[in-house]
Amino acid sequence: MSKMDAERLDKEKLLKYFTVEEKLRMLSGDGMWHTFGAADLPRVRMADGPTGLRPCEDGMPAPPCTCYPVAGMLANSWDTALLYNVGAEIGREATAIGVNLLLAPGINIKRNPFGGRNFEYYSEDPLLSGVLGKAFVNGVQSTGVGATLKHFAANNCETNRMYSDSIIDERTLREIYLKPFEIAVTAKPAAIMCAYNKVNGEYACENAKLLRNVLRDEWNYDGVTVSDWGAVHNRVKSLNAGLDLEMPDSLGLHTARLKAAYDSGELTDEILNQAVSRILELVDNVYLEPCGDNDAEEHDRVSYNAAVESVTLLKNDSGLLPLTKDMRVAVVGDIATDYPIQGGGSSHVTALKAPSPLDAFSARGIEVSYFKGFGNDPKQASSLKDEALSGAVGCDAVIVYAGGETSTEGCDRTSLSLPDSQNELITALTLAGHRVIVMLCVPGPCEMPWAKRVRAIVYNGLCGQNSALAGVDVLYGRVNPRGKLAETFPVRAEDAPSQPPKGDVAAYTECGLVGYRYYDTSCKRALFPFGHGLSFSNISYDNMRVKRLPGNNFEVDVTLGNNSVRDAYEIVQVYVSNRTGRIFCPEKQLAGFAKVLVEGESSTVAVINIGADAFKFFDTQTKSYRTCDGEFAIMAAASSTDVRKQITVKIDGDYKSTQAVPDCYSAFRPDVITVADFENFTGVTVPQESKRQKPFTLENCVADLKKTLVGKIVSRVIKNRAKAAGAVGSPEYNAFYANAMTTPLSSSSIMSEGALPPGVATGIVHFANKKFIKGVKSCLSRGKEVFAAPPEKED
Ligand code: BGC
């Protein structure tokens, strides 16, 4: 972002030079991946995303690029320098091929483990999400490429994602769901992408409270706001609310509506010029011709390092790991030959390579015997199992690669369990007395009914193109593992603090009790807690000291000892716990962290600074952050449940009253809290599910039309198309089907790249409203490329 003044666009002059039509046209993209280049203006090229580059061109598949660990795994590194490096490496790959704006990072909170896009997000904790997101933005932007924070805001589920309404009380919204954005926005990302969903009744893209009051007025953000793809419903309202750029091009639909609003005075020159000048600023800041080398080897090295920092050792009984090359080892699992390395949807990278675990063993010169163990065909289940059980006889260890079904944008996970065949085989191996190591290749938490029986568990996750290699390097001790979980693994799915919504209203009745805040406060045991992760060295915590700095800031020192011979990295976490109890708050909250190298047989002092924000809460009366007066414990911890040292301090705060908290909330049982409890406690009204009935418009989706003949026909077409995406029931099939059924027809057409021409989308609406002649005319004669006179309301 360092152009010479002489090279910069003269925005004032351009604003005068462009016609109103040109300005209106600039407010939406040119095709799927570019801004509109009015009057020879360069077009900014965009590409996803969080896992590496997906540089699509209109109608073309994305060419191969480096695939990094998914954000959900990267977060286990708790390593801001690493996130910076990954961002910078993706930025360099982008500059080499002429991508100017990266559609990443995603920094939404993992509200529960079911979120279909959780793998694209960092954590259940706002501080960790915000700090890592900020580092990634800084890395990307150090290369001149712009970064895009997404999805603003409260985009925490995929079920009915295009119109789900996230109902959240103001305090929770601020402290949990907006906090990562508030932190990351300080890195001045070139763009912020507005989410598909509604927040408290208003679409995120039309939400003036979020886009103007919070983002611009409070946080002073001056970059571009861009819609998620196809997320715009009412373009005039969204522009007036503060959405600068609509992506992709709305095929004329919204430009026509904007023109009408301009002519009627509903849209002013001031608003129009504001948005256009921000888009010009974006062009100025990020547009570059392709330049620099595309050093695939260097990208690969960074991707390997990132994978190594992300893999997390969850269990290691009697020090079975690391293994040694002379051990007899059996490897079991169908995915050991074909390894999932990432999630599905817009973040999916056409990876340059994806070596399997078996490839990785042989690359490291390790001999293992391999047994498939399980697979998709139930008829083979018992013979595969028997083969693995007898093959394991006489082995020093059996490594089971479990998991495999990845998660995908467009639908939430419906279960956290592994396939029965996998659970059964793991249990059978332990019952036969084998020393079992489970390598988990899952997109997030899963249930592990055999957790107590196996000797070791490694969360290998979706770690990109070096996923398998990093896992093998942990198994054999080439790497001393150092990742720690950025999200809680519950014992059972039903233990989660919330579940995905069923309809189009997602009431966040658990308030701020998200992730470890919930498990901790309600004393619910987690299978593996937030912040947990082992190394091959035992790290001790001693001599904690807390130094008070001016203005409720503190420096926390703790001495870490490593009596093993190996160098180790320890992620020290500092939590703060409000002991005075004036307000409803979780047992403890993360306030700072540091990843520290502790050399073998030595000790070192970790220094963590925690800011005054750690003692604040959002007071909805005064609409500001305030500090609770009273005592707080400052804790140095190895995980959210493994507090090693603590010191209590007195904080002089400006909030001295005591909030009344109803019993159901003070008992911290989100599972028993009703919508009425939530409404009474927070003053928020939870709306009824909407009926989404006749007269239909382009805002309706195919699911809304399911009782009409045309709806039934289109649903069948969608089912058939979904089969081309994947086998019935597979994540790919489910994602295609869910997306196509629940996306408004206008957005489906805009994003279909010609598969659903605007005229046909319009015709479907007419048919559903029983306007058959209009329907036939629309389908046959009009709107092949642009929407013409689309039906907003039929008479
Ligand atoms: C996703 C965004 C993505 C965009 C472009 C949308 O469906 O929600 O995260 O950046 O597509 O691919």
Side-chain angles (χ1 to χ4, degrees):
M1 308 246 162
S2 56
K3 277 191 187 154
M4 311 280 287
D5 280 353
E7 294 173 335
R8 295 189 75 90
L9 300 170
D10 184 342
K11 272 149 246 145
E12 275 186 25
K13 205 162 147 194
L14 284 171
L15 282 178
K16 288 192 192 123
Y17 170 79
F18 289 134
T19 62
V20 168
E21 284 70 19
E22 280 170 327
K23 288 183 195 171
L24 292 173
R25 181 62 192 85
M26 283 172 69
L27 300 182
S28 64
D30 189 357
M32 290 288 281
W33 305 107
H34 292 89
T35 55
F36 184 74
D40 291 341
L41 204 65
R43 300 182 321 151
V44 167
R45 182 174 176 201
M46 311 173 196
D48 285 296
T51 310
L53 270 190
R54 189 176 72 110
C56 306
E57 286 287 9
D58 287 351
M60 306 275 288
C65 283
T66 314
C67 183
Y68 296 85
V70 299
M73 288 306 292
L74 276 179
N76 295 342
S77 73
W78 298 57
D79 190 332
T80 48
L82 178 83
L83 270 285
Y84 181 97
N85 288 341
V86 171
E89 211 54 41
I90 299 178
R92 281 189 274 277
E93 207 165 339
T95 34
I97 58 169
V99 166
N100 313 124
L101 183 67
L102 185 75
L103 304 173
I107 57 169
N108 295 89
I109 289 293
K110 301 183 185 195
R111 179 178 170 226
N112 57 47
F114 305 101
R117 297 187 85 172
N118 276 7
F119 70 89
E120 285 186 61
Y121 300 147
Y122 294 116
S123 177
E124 64 191 25
D125 181 79
L127 177 75
L128 186 57
S129 303
V131 169
L132 296 181
K134 179 175 174 176
F136 185 91
V137 170
N138 280 330
V140 173
Q141 299 204 151
S142 71
T143 65
V145 171
T148 309
L149 285 186
K150 65 188 190 184
H151 305 89
F152 191 63
N155 180 241
N156 311 103
C157 68
E158 291 298 282
T159 306
N160 296 327
R161 67 173 181 160
M162 302 297 279
Y163 47 84
S164 178
D165 192 355
S166 303
I167 305 295
I168 315 179
D169 66 280
E170 177 79 9
R171 183 175 161 206
T172 304
L173 182 64
R174 296 287 187 149
E175 293 180 16
I176 306 285
Y177 295 98
L178 293 183
K179 191 52 114 187
F181 290 93
E182 186 178 357
I183 295 171
V185 103
T186 58
K188 295 188 174 296
I192 293 189
M193 185 191 291
C194 303
Y196 284 127
N197 51 286
K198 293 179 184 166
V199 184
N200 290 330
E202 293 280 14
Y203 280 109
C205 285
E206 296 170 5
N207 202 312
K209 186 174 168 218
L210 289 177
L211 296 179
R212 286 207 185 282
N213 305 1
V214 175
L215 196 57
R216 303 283 184 209
D217 301 345
E218 287 185 36
W219 298 349
N220 298 318
Y221 178 66
D222 60 5
V224 159
T225 48
V226 54
S227 73
D228 199 340
W229 267 230
V232 170
H233 299 260
N234 180 333
R235 183 63 181 113
V236 179
K237 189 171 175 194
S238 72
L239 184 59
N240 279 326
L243 180 82
D244 302 321
L245 176 63
E246 173 185 19
M247 285 302 294
D249 164 16
S250 71
L251 306 178
L253 174 66
H254 295 147
T255 314
R257 287 184 182 161
L258 284 175
K259 179 70 171 66
Y262 183 83
D263 291 342
S264 73
E266 200 189 342
L267 170 63
T268 62
D269 277 311
E270 191 193 347
I271 298 279
L272 178 60
N273 287 340
Q274 246 175 27
V276 171
S277 65
R278 285 204 199 95
I279 293 169
L280 290 173
E281 189 71 27
L282 175 78
V283 177
D284 228 358
N285 285 339
V286 305
Y287 180 75
L288 265 183
E289 295 288 334
C291 60
D293 293 338
N294 202 346
D295 185 347
E297 250 176 56
E298 181 58 11
H299 305 322
D300 188 47
R301 196 187 61 78
V302 173
S303 131
Y304 169 78
N305 286 347
V308 158
E309 302 294 325
S310 307
V311 173
T312 302
L313 177 61
L314 299 178
K315 176 174 179 179
N316 189 18
D317 267 9
S318 20
L320 175 59
L321 297 181
L323 303 172
T324 52
K325 280 189 179 174
D326 55 356
M327 286 176 159
R328 280 192 59 195
V329 170
V331 170
V332 175
D334 56 346
I335 55 172
T337 55
D338 182 12
Y339 206 45
I341 58 169
Q342 57 180 322
S346 61
S347 70
H348 191 272
V349 173
T350 310
L352 283 165
K353 60 176 192 181
S356 68
L358 289 192
D359 299 330
F361 286 114
S362 84
R364 292 295 189 230
I366 299 163
E367 273 183 34
V368 295
S369 38
Y370 170 66
F371 306 94
K372 194 169 170 195
F374 32 77
N376 290 330
D377 183 357
K379 281 188 233 125
Q380 291 186 339
S382 115
S383 63
L384 289 176
K385 183 173 160 191
D386 292 347
E387 198 181 61
L389 280 165
S390 49
V393 173
C395 285
D396 299 308
V398 184
I399 303 170
V400 183
Y401 279 87
E405 184 156 296
T406 190
S407 187
T408 250
E409 174 180 342
C411 45
D412 287 319
R413 294 172 72 193
T414 50
S415 146
L416 302 187
S417 53
L418 295 173
D420 289 347
S421 57
Q422 302 193 9
N423 285 331
E424 280 164 17
L425 180 54
I426 295 171
T427 307
L429 284 164
T430 60
L431 288 174
H434 295 296
R435 305 200 294 174
V436 176
I437 300 156
V438 178
M439 297 294 283
L440 282 175
C441 180
V442 281
C446 68
E447 294 172 346
M448 301 176 219
W450 32 257
K452 287 208 173 100
R453 315 189 66 95
V454 300
R455 288 291 186 90
I457 304 173
V458 179
Y459 183 24
N460 200 158
L462 305 170
C463 272
Q465 64 188 36
N466 287 297
S467 204
L469 198 60
V472 168
D473 285 348
V474 163
L475 287 173
Y476 281 82
R478 195 175 171 121
V479 164
N480 193 357
R482 67 259 338 233
K484 292 204 181 194
L485 292 178
E487 72 184 302
T488 308
F489 275 50
V491 178
R492 295 163 312 170
E494 56 269 34
D495 291 347
S498 61
Q499 305 284 321
K502 295 204 166 57
D504 62 1
V505 174
Y508 289 39
T509 53
E510 73 283 4
C511 296
L513 296 181
V514 180
Y516 68 91
R517 286 169 167 76
Y518 162 57
Y519 294 93
D520 250 18
T521 314
S522 60
C523 300
K524 193 174 273 284
R525 189 178 75 82
L527 180 57
F528 295 110
F530 174 81
H532 169 76
L534 305 172
S535 71
F536 299 142
S537 319
N538 246 337
I539 304 295
S540 60
Y541 286 52
D542 291 301
N543 303 329
M544 178 183 181
R545 285 191 318 130
V546 164
K547 190 151 92 197
R548 191 183 283 266
L549 307 172
N552 288 337
N553 293 294
F554 290 87
E555 183 190 292
V556 180
D557 297 351
V558 61
T559 305
L560 305 175
N562 176 3
N563 58 14
S564 78
V565 287
R566 287 170 174 270
D567 292 352
Y569 282 92
E570 174 68 359
I571 296 164
V572 182
Q573 299 146 54
V574 173
Y575 296 87
V576 159
S577 173
N578 182 336
R579 296 298 197 212
T580 310
R582 292 181 189 283
I583 52 160
F584 168 66
C585 60
E587 162 62 20
K588 59 169 117 52
Q589 314 200 54
L590 186 70
F593 58 89
K595 182 171 183 174
V596 185
L597 169 67
V598 199
E599 286 175 3
E601 297 179 317
S602 72
S603 66
T604 189
V605 177
V607 180
I608 299 109
N609 283 300
I610 60 171
D613 283 355
F615 308 97
K616 291 186 177 162
F617 74 103
F618 191 84
D619 180 16
T620 48
Q621 302 294 313
T622 57
K623 299 223 169 298
S624 62
Y625 273 98
R626 299 184 67 186
T627 303
C628 255
D629 189 71
E631 292 195 332
F632 286 78
I634 298 181
M635 305 161 158
S639 83
S640 59
T641 59
D642 185 6
V643 174
R644 301 289 182 87
K645 300 280 170 209
Q646 56 180 297
I647 289 175
T648 300
V649 295
K650 168 78 182 63
I651 297 291
D652 292 323
D654 60 347
Y655 185 85
K656 296 192 163 75
S657 14
T658 304
Q659 190 192 28
V661 179
D663 288 350
C664 55
Y665 277 92
S666 51
F668 306 112
R669 292 276 315 273
D671 49 335
V672 300
I673 292 170
T674 63
V675 165
D677 292 331
F678 171 67
E679 292 185 322
N680 288 338
F681 180 41
T682 61
V684 170
T685 304
V686 178
Q688 299 288 315
E689 303 279 334
S690 62
K691 300 219 165 46
R692 306 182 62 82
Q693 285 171 346
K694 268 174 132 178
F696 299 113
T697 71
L698 283 164
E699 275 296 290
N700 285 95
C701 55
V702 178
D704 301 334
L705 315 183
K706 58 180 182 284
K707 291 199 178 129
T708 67
L709 179 63
V710 69
K712 287 182 184 140
I713 296 171
V714 178
S715 308
R716 182 157 303 168
V717 173
I718 291 174
K719 269 196 182 138
N720 286 334
R721 293 265 172 110
K723 284 183 195 153
V728 178
S730 67
E732 293 76 15
Y733 174 94
N734 291 343
F736 184 97
Y737 184 72
N739 267 327
M741 291 296 289
T742 61
T743 299
L745 282 156
S746 54
S747 308
S748 286
S749 176
I750 287 167
M751 293 193 294
S752 73
E753 302 197 72
L756 178 62
V760 176
T762 312
I764 291 172
V765 176
H766 288 310
F767 284 129
N769 286 331
K770 300 202 171 138
K771 305 281 175 193
F772 298 111
I773 298 175
K774 278 187 179 179
V776 172
K777 275 191 183 163
S778 246
C779 288
L780 290 181
S781 58
R782 291 194 278 119
K784 287 214 172 62
E785 274 135 25
V786 292
F787 286 97
E792 291 197 55
K793 274 209 178 84
E794 299 257 357
D795 35 76

